[in-house]
Amino acid sequence: MNEAIDTVDYIGGRTRLYGIVGHPIEQVRSPEMFTAEFRRRERDAILVPLHVLPDDFDATLPALMRLHNLDGLVFTIPYKVRACALAAELGAQARRVGAINALARGSDGRWRGEIFDGLGCVEAFRRRGIPLAGQRIAMIGAGGAGAAVGVAIADQRPRSMRVHDLDQARAEALAARIRGTDPAIDVAVAPPSIEDTDVLLNVSPVGMLGDARLPVDVDALPSRLTVFDAVVKPDRTPLIELAAACGCTTVIGREMMRGQVSRMVDFFLAGGQEGA
Amino acid sequence: MNEAIDTVDYIGGRTRLYGIVGHPIEQVRSPEMFTAEFRRRERDAILVPLHVLPDDFDATLPALMRLHNLDGLVFTIPYKVRACALAAELGAQARRVGAINALARGSDGRWRGEIFDGLGCVEAFRRRGIPLAGQRIAMIGAGGAGAAVGVAIADQRPRSMRVHDLDQARAEALAARIRGTDPAIDVAVAPPSIEDTDVLLNVSPVGMLGDARLPVDVDALPSRLTVFDAVVKPDRTPLIELAAACGCTTVIGREMMRGQVSRMVDFFLAGGQEGA
């Protein structure tokens, strides 16, 4: 009859549920990070991985949103753009980016969407004291997270931004959004050029989960470069390993996540009323 | 950058999901008990509460079952009978009872259902050394769990069984199943009579979650009576409190759950191949 043996103290019938929706799902770090943040705030809540296949998304998400004890969802690859359609209202960042990574149920039952990736990336640079203003930026990946990072960095008044994506139309769309944010930025759609770049950003999934590829076709990187990788599993992607070996300053995906988690939990607990 | 602060160790991207589906959901004890059993077996798995409203059941359950990292579901009030329709195959107990409380995804992708409540109740009596053979049983509640308990107790060769349910047809159906199990048992559909009873079983939801009612209309109980209550929240229902105050032997819902959890986890981990 030992209670310590036959129960755990972190999940129960009253626990409020949150989920992260993605495909694949094994690489996500949101479950352990959000759940820790809920605990820090003394909330009986947990964030669980929800592996939804692309063909199931349209039928499964509305059903999940009807779970009476589910209060919010986080979206990751490949659903950040697609998830917009689930929100009754979009926050200020989401409207500019055309993607969300958080969907919160309001006390009125309405679901509100917002995207926090870009703010998290900028916050990671700020915490490390690495300037973005006046810098020459090259970024790879213009999907949901890429667009959010691009728009948030454009707000920081960089000198130039080169945007690359395998999907040319996606890259062009992000370039247009950046020009719309700040016409003073020199914007180009082109593969990254290491020579005339100060900050290299990978916001594509290249390097995730044992993928040995680099998102750039190089053997070495100049040590003056700052290299950021949004991938969170592994912490040290092939790109980050190469950058560290070449003496570059590195900023990792987990630092971006730290910047986001607290703001996203604010957003969830306020029912989506507290936007970006 | 302290990992101990910003993560927890009990949930992550690779964690396999299980859920308990019910309405209401706050009273369930499965999340903490099953999760503890998974941990004891060194499985990276968690069982979460899933509060599904009756009008949503038919649309939500097939969607949940398509979550690629969800391996099993537990069903509680009011869904044990309704959940049968979700199973491609039913186990031996479930076929007799017409209800399931566990649904497991097999490695072949087929979902198999079984009911463990009755086996758990009998196991609780066995562990306490309280005989059922030759006893006069009165039971209240002939729903999903009630039917499972009735059939499993009928296997133990009691002398007589009185079955009561507010839904007369449900009580009659269970009485017929008991007669089919063992024609030697004297079976009646009637409200419980304390005078000619040895074991009183509550398998109705009366007394759950602050419900101050007793499932029998009495002020006192004879001390020779053994009283069982299947309700798990609270541990000590008004019926159990009265029985204890009157000097009766009491067996509580948590003891029944202990008897079930280990067998149900066997069932889940075997993809529903290990039946009752």
Side-chain angles (χ1 to χ4, degrees):
Chain A
M1 303 272 283
N2 187 333
E3 296 293 312
I5 289 173
D6 76 0
T7 68
V8 297
D9 67 358
Y10 52 80
I11 185 84
R14 297 183 187 280
T15 305
R16 303 302 297 182
L17 278 190
Y18 295 82
I20 176 164
V21 177
H23 172 67
I25 202 70
E26 293 76 12
Q27 79 290 352
V28 298
R29 291 229 146 120
S30 292
E32 61 261 37
M33 294 182 76
F34 280 84
T35 302
E37 181 69 13
F38 286 126
R39 273 180 91 90
R40 200 181 63 75
R41 301 190 192 201
E42 299 179 349
R43 292 283 177 152
D44 182 4
I46 194 164
L47 188 139
V48 299
L50 299 170
H51 189 178
V52 175
L53 301 184
D55 284 350
D56 294 332
F57 186 89
D58 293 338
T60 299
L61 267 293
L64 288 172
M65 291 160 68
R66 294 195 66 80
L67 285 174
H68 210 57
N69 59 337
L70 184 132
D71 292 333
L73 292 169
V74 175
F75 293 90
T76 187
I77 293 167
Y79 297 130
K80 292 184 186 193
V81 173
R82 204 167 168 185
C84 275
L86 302 170
E89 293 172 24
L90 293 178
Q93 290 279 317
R95 285 196 297 273
R96 289 165 72 200
V97 171
I100 65 172
N101 76 332
L103 188 64
R105 188 204 300 268
S107 55
D108 57 359
R110 286 170 70 80
W111 289 85
R112 297 183 177 82
E114 183 53 297
I115 190 154
F116 293 86
D117 305 71
L119 300 168
C121 178
V122 167
E123 174 70 5
F125 276 73
R126 194 194 61 74
R127 289 186 187 184
R128 291 280 296 279
I130 303 166
L132 290 164
Q135 299 296 293
R136 296 167 299 175
I137 313 287
M139 58 183 291
I140 302 144
V149 166
V151 165
I153 285 185
D155 281 337
Q156 304 301 309
R157 303 205 157 264
R159 191 200 313 176
S160 65
M161 292 183 74
R162 287 174 81 100
V163 178
H164 178 62
D165 195 288
L166 291 178
D167 178 340
Q168 179 83 2
R170 238 166 37 164
E172 295 285 1
L174 175 55
R177 283 190 185 107
I178 292 169
R179 288 187 194 100
T181 296
D182 183 351
I185 303 169
D186 174 17
V187 184
V189 171
S193 159
I194 302 307
E195 284 63 41
D196 52 5
T197 292
D198 303 306
V199 179
L200 176 66
L201 307 159
N202 178 49
V203 201
S204 81
V206 172
M208 183 188 290
L209 285 181
D211 175 358
R213 293 176 301 160
L214 292 169
V216 282
D217 184 20
V218 295
D219 298 318
L221 295 164
S223 63
R224 60 171 172 70
L225 209 58
T226 294
V227 177
F228 165 78
D229 199 327
V231 167
V232 292
K233 205 170 264 185
D235 256 343
R236 300 186 68 80
T237 57
L239 176 64
I240 291 292
E241 292 287 3
L242 176 65
C246 294
C248 304
T249 300
T250 59
V251 183
I252 64 173
R254 179 173 281 261
E255 294 175 79
M256 176 171 104
M257 273 210 69
R258 280 201 193 91
Q260 288 190 70
V261 168
S262 181
R263 292 197 66 170
M264 289 174 74
V265 169
D266 289 343
F267 178 76
F268 284 137
L269 296 181
Q273 294 293 357
E274 203 251 36
Chain B
M1 305 271 281
N2 187 332
E3 296 292 312
I5 289 173
D6 74 2
T7 69
V8 297
D9 67 359
Y10 52 80
I11 184 84
R14 297 182 188 279
T15 305
R16 302 303 296 183
L17 278 189
Y18 294 82
I20 176 164
V21 176
H23 171 69
I25 202 70
E26 294 76 11
Q27 79 290 351
V28 298
R29 291 230 148 119
S30 292
E32 61 261 38
M33 294 181 75
F34 279 84
T35 302
E37 181 69 13
F38 286 126
R39 274 178 91 88
R40 200 180 64 74
R41 300 191 192 199
E42 299 179 346
R43 292 281 177 156
D44 181 4
I46 194 164
L47 188 141
V48 299
L50 298 169
H51 189 179
V52 175
L53 301 184
D55 285 350
D56 294 333
F57 187 88
D58 293 337
T60 299
L61 267 293
L64 288 172
M65 290 161 68
R66 294 195 66 80
L67 286 174
H68 210 57
N69 58 337
L70 185 132
D71 292 333
L73 293 168
V74 175
F75 293 90
T76 187
I77 293 168
Y79 297 131
K80 292 185 186 192
V81 173
R82 203 167 168 185
C84 276
L86 302 170
E89 294 173 23
L90 293 178
Q93 291 279 317
R95 284 196 298 272
R96 288 164 73 197
V97 171
I100 65 173
N101 77 332
L103 188 63
R105 188 203 300 268
S107 55
D108 56 359
R110 287 170 70 80
W111 289 85
R112 297 184 177 82
E114 183 53 296
I115 190 155
F116 292 87
D117 304 73
L119 300 168
C121 178
V122 167
E123 174 70 5
F125 276 73
R126 194 194 60 75
R127 289 186 188 186
R128 292 279 295 279
I130 303 165
L132 291 164
Q135 299 296 295
R136 295 167 299 174
I137 313 288
M139 58 181 292
I140 302 144
V149 166
V151 165
I153 285 186
D155 282 337
Q156 303 301 309
R157 303 203 158 265
R159 190 198 316 178
S160 65
M161 292 183 73
R162 288 174 82 102
V163 179
H164 178 62
D165 195 286
L166 290 178
D167 180 340
Q168 179 83 3
R170 242 168 30 166
E172 295 285 1
L174 175 54
R177 284 191 185 107
I178 292 169
R179 286 188 195 101
T181 297
D182 183 352
I185 303 168
D186 174 17
V187 185
V189 172
S193 158
I194 301 308
E195 283 66 37
D196 53 5
T197 291
D198 303 306
V199 179
L200 176 67
L201 306 159
N202 178 49
V203 201
S204 82
V206 172
M208 184 188 288
L209 286 181
D211 175 357
R213 293 176 300 159
L214 291 169
V216 281
D217 185 21
V218 294
D219 297 317
L221 295 164
S223 63
R224 60 171 172 73
L225 209 59
T226 294
V227 176
F228 165 78
D229 199 327
V231 167
V232 292
K233 206 171 261 185
D235 256 343
R236 300 186 67 81
T237 58
L239 176 64
I240 291 293
E241 292 286 6
L242 175 65
C246 294
C248 304
T249 300
T250 59
V251 181
I252 65 173
R254 180 175 280 262
E255 294 174 79
M256 176 171 103
M257 274 210 68
R258 279 202 193 91
Q260 288 189 71
V261 167
S262 181
R263 292 198 65 169
M264 289 174 73
V265 169
D266 288 344
F267 178 76
F268 284 139
L269 297 181
Q273 294 293 359
E274 204 252 35

